[in-house]
Amino acid sequence: MIDYSIFPKKIKALFFDMDGVLYDSMPNHAFTWVESFKAAGIDFPAYDAYMNEGATGNYTIKKVFRQLGREASEEDINRIYDHKSELMNKAPLAPIMPGMQQVVANTLAAGIKVIIVTGSKQPSLISRLNDDFNIGREDIVSGFDVKNGKPDPEPYLRALGKAACLADEAIVVENAPLGIISARAAGLLTVAVNTGILKPEVLSEAGASLVLDSTSQLAELWPNIIKS
Ligand code: CA
């Protein structure tokens, strides 16, 4: 049973993560991370790509090098990230997650402000948000807009600024532990959709108040969550 009393009585803003929430783009990200690290002679399992999801490329590369007892140089970072971007440009078009167009449309129709909060710098997906979800550039916080990406609270604090509301008047939908940590650090209640390969407890341990199996399940429960 879901305890709907955890949600704000009057929700003013909804912050949606992009990769793995709006688009099924994580398989592309995981594959291109594995391949670009492999080209640099580093073994990086797909599970780790999901664990680091939501962070900027810079953050992930530095972290992986540190785990190997090395510091990543600017050149290492650029080489690996450029290679990943190159592979991403050739990757198949990421499908929209089941039910998410309906979820976003229902949210907007309820008069709730919608902001997309993503660590991504992939213009290919960011530019689709307008056509697919009716979200303009002014309602997106991307990797281009922050100094410190997820798990830092900055992206979600910026979203709160854009929505001009308090943390207890907004909720977040995320799929990745670092994204949940970022949202929680900004004081936000977070619903997780486990759309990847992670164990669900990883998402609740990161601080999600509710962990759902899929975006379809979210779409089903959505009217109950947003009703004021
Ligand atoms: Ca994500």
Side-chain angles (χ1 to χ4, degrees):
M1 275 308 282
I2 292 176
D3 176 12
Y4 292 103
S5 70
I6 62 169
F7 298 107
K9 280 274 165 291
K10 174 88 189 129
I11 299 171
K12 287 193 180 163
L14 232 309
F15 304 149
F16 293 95
D17 169 50
M18 183 174 77
D19 290 291
V21 170
L22 299 182
Y23 294 103
D24 192 8
S25 44
M26 272 313 292
N28 287 342
H29 277 293
F31 173 77
T32 57
W33 271 128
V34 170
E35 289 301 310
S36 54
F37 273 116
K38 195 194 284 171
I42 296 169
D43 179 40
F44 183 73
Y47 195 89
D48 289 10
Y50 282 88
M51 283 302 287
N52 285 290
E53 196 208 325
T56 60
N58 203 22
Y59 175 98
T60 302
I61 296 165
K62 282 186 176 164
K63 185 170 152 192
V64 169
F65 271 68
R66 234 170 269 140
Q67 282 163 350
L68 295 169
R70 294 152 60 186
E71 278 301 319
S73 66
E74 273 306 301
E75 204 216 318
D76 292 322
I77 294 169
N78 292 338
R79 185 168 30 92
I80 295 171
Y81 196 71
D82 288 352
H83 186 202
K84 180 181 185 291
S85 302
E86 215 175 279
L87 294 172
M88 277 302 281
N89 290 337
K90 288 187 268 184
L93 191 73
I96 295 169
M97 278 290 188
M100 287 312 289
Q101 277 182 317
Q102 183 198 328
V103 164
V104 173
N106 288 352
T107 311
L108 291 169
I112 298 171
K113 181 80 179 164
V114 172
I115 310 270
I116 310 304
V117 183
T118 175
S120 176
K121 289 189 172 183
Q122 285 295 318
S124 54
L125 272 191
I126 294 170
S127 62
R128 285 174 60 189
L129 289 170
N130 200 10
D131 283 348
D132 293 343
F133 293 97
N134 211 12
I135 303 293
R137 185 65 190 90
E138 69 283 3
D139 293 328
I140 301 168
V141 177
S142 81
F144 294 110
D145 304 317
V146 295
K147 200 155 111 233
N148 302 300
K150 301 171 189 178
D152 192 275
E154 185 184 342
Y156 281 107
L157 291 174
R158 279 189 188 258
L160 279 170
K162 269 185 191 287
C165 71
L166 301 172
D168 63 4
E169 297 170 325
I171 62 178
V172 171
V173 180
E174 265 284 354
N175 73 312
L178 298 183
I180 297 165
I181 291 167
S182 165
R184 296 292 298 126
L188 291 153
L189 185 134
T190 307
V191 176
V193 281
N194 192 17
T195 58
I197 60 175
L198 298 178
K199 298 189 183 89
E201 55 267 31
V202 171
L203 302 175
S204 39
E205 281 160 14
S209 299
L210 176 65
V211 180
L212 303 174
D213 294 334
S214 66
T215 54
S216 306
Q217 196 190 0
L218 181 75
E220 209 174 287
L221 304 174
W222 201 242
N224 296 323
I225 292 175
I226 62 167
K227 76 158 177 252
S228 48

